[in-house]
Amino acid sequence: MSSISPACQTLKDEYDACFNSWFSEHYLKGDTTADMCTNLFKKYQACIKEAIKEHKITLWELENEPTTKKN
Amino acid sequence: MVKTYVGQWLYTFPWSQVVSGFWQKFPNPYTGHVLSEDTYYRTVTEDQKLISKRLLAKTNKLPRWGERLFYRGAASTIGFIIEESVCDLKQKIFTTNTVNINLKSLMTVEETCVYRPDKNDESRTICEKKVVTQGELFGFKTPLETFAIQRYKKNQELASLGLEFILHKLYLPQLPPPPVTGIKTPDTRTFSRKLSDKAKHLLKSSNNDTL
């Protein structure tokens, strides 16, 4: 599925693939530790943050990044 | 005043597969009006709940006069929606809440869906949906709400069919995919027919449709 910004597409695809794998093979089986995709998510999220600004959308979760964020 | 619609959908897939498929439901043949989907927030809580937030962009066709009034960049003809969800692994309850974050000067449409295993048959999942619409344009609130409910009724069926299609693709790939039948085109009409000059003036003089 397309990302809001073509610049983030590769990052999105990589993250989504990681997340889907983590969700079905770890999370649903009770292994809810969530470090597998953290790095990918951080890169993807940083890209999204820029893209969303262009559309003049403010999402507080992106403005105030919490210290612990997983997958 | 608000208008509410409540409905249900039964998926012939177990809960774990429905939730897994939920993340992968775009694109599908029923939801060509969804332009983009991005996860912008995600975390796992201490009690194993997965909280996710996604931003969706959908086409929102405006009549030509609307484009002149609303045009402030691309966002004016694109509807942005926030989808927040909580996956409760222990209880096997997956709850999603979606609401539009722009075009709120016209109306707000908020949908809540709760996915649970069917109590009588765990190989199936029941989705209970509720949508609440609130019109904002003075003098047109009720017709706007009615319009939004009717549009939602058509589109929620497409959304469910879309998820089913993806579930078949993911978990029953050996079978032919279900035929794409019924309503193929989402209802993207806007409330334009009844708007009088007075309403157009009100829209023009209302604050910027900021997000």
Side-chain angles (χ1 to χ4, degrees):
Chain A
M1 186 62 210
S2 298
S3 171
I4 195 171
S5 161
C8 305
Q9 191 64 48
T10 309
L11 292 169
K12 172 183 155 62
D13 292 340
E14 282 176 358
Y15 168 70
D16 281 350
C18 181
F19 171 76
N20 288 326
S21 167
W22 171 82
F23 187 79
S24 50
E25 290 164 29
H26 291 268
Y27 179 79
L28 287 178
K29 294 180 182 175
D31 173 16
T32 57
T33 55
D35 294 325
M36 205 170 118
C37 307
T38 306
N39 288 336
L40 285 172
F41 186 64
K42 280 183 183 168
K43 289 181 203 170
Y44 172 43
Q45 199 193 36
C47 184
I48 291 297
K49 193 173 173 179
E50 291 309 308
I52 281 173
K53 275 183 193 168
E54 288 178 18
H55 287 275
K56 298 177 190 170
I57 302 170
T58 307
L59 297 169
W60 69 266
E61 292 88 351
L62 289 176
E63 297 303 314
N64 308 303
E65 291 193 17
T67 48
T68 52
K69 217 176 344 49
K70 300 171 191 176
N71 269 347
Chain B
M1 266 302 289
V2 295
K3 280 209 176 344
T4 304
Y5 169 78
V6 176
Q8 268 194 356
W9 193 273
L10 181 70
Y11 296 96
T12 52
F13 292 87
W15 182 84
S16 57
Q17 287 182 351
V18 172
V19 185
S20 300
F22 181 85
W23 305 119
Q24 306 173 64
K25 69 176 174 176
F26 299 121
N28 69 67
Y30 293 93
T31 52
H33 60 295
V34 177
L35 301 171
S36 73
E37 165 252 310
D38 287 286
T39 306
Y40 67 91
Y41 180 82
R42 187 164 263 148
T43 192
V44 180
T45 65
E46 282 178 5
D47 53 352
Q48 299 186 322
K49 288 183 184 169
L50 176 71
I51 298 175
S52 308
K53 303 196 187 192
R54 299 201 291 186
L55 174 69
L56 306 172
K58 298 187 180 180
T59 56
N60 193 78
K61 195 179 166 193
L62 292 175
R64 259 176 287 161
W65 64 264
E67 283 170 11
R68 283 199 294 278
L69 287 177
F70 276 110
Y71 184 75
R72 286 178 195 97
S76 61
T77 53
I78 297 174
F80 287 107
I81 286 148
I82 295 287
E83 173 208 271
E84 299 184 348
S85 61
V86 180
C87 180
D88 187 338
L89 185 62
K90 288 179 190 168
Q91 307 278 339
K92 285 198 174 175
I93 299 175
F94 181 59
T95 307
T96 70
N97 193 70
T98 62
V99 67
N100 58 304
I101 57 169
N102 67 338
L103 303 170
K104 287 177 100 70
S105 57
L106 268 185
M107 67 179 102
T108 297
V109 180
E110 184 164 358
E111 180 207 53
T112 305
C113 298
V114 181
Y115 298 79
R116 286 190 176 97
D118 183 352
K119 285 175 201 172
N120 303 318
D121 181 355
E122 286 224 343
S123 70
R124 307 192 309 184
T125 303
I126 291 186
C127 167
E128 290 162 349
K129 300 187 195 208
K130 178 180 167 187
V131 74
V132 178
T133 67
Q134 173 140 7
E136 301 294 341
L137 191 57
F138 182 75
F140 288 87
K141 289 184 186 180
T142 302
L144 273 170
E145 286 157 12
T146 306
F147 166 80
I149 289 280
Q150 285 169 356
R151 184 173 66 171
Y152 173 79
K153 278 185 192 174
K154 290 184 186 174
N155 288 345
Q156 62 85 24
E157 193 181 330
L158 291 177
S160 303
L161 289 168
L163 179 52
E164 268 199 18
F165 184 91
I166 291 298
L167 291 171
H168 272 86
K169 190 175 154 191
L170 288 171
Y171 301 110
L172 297 171
Q174 68 279 13
L175 298 179
V180 178
T181 57
I183 307 163
K184 290 186 187 179
T185 311
D187 187 347
T188 55
R189 288 176 300 138
T190 56
F191 189 79
S192 61
R193 295 185 305 275
K194 297 181 186 176
L195 285 173
S196 61
D197 288 334
K198 178 187 173 186
K200 289 175 194 175
H201 175 72
L202 277 171
L203 275 173
K204 205 168 181 176
S205 58
S206 67
N207 293 331
N208 279 354
D209 193 74
T210 54
L211 297 166

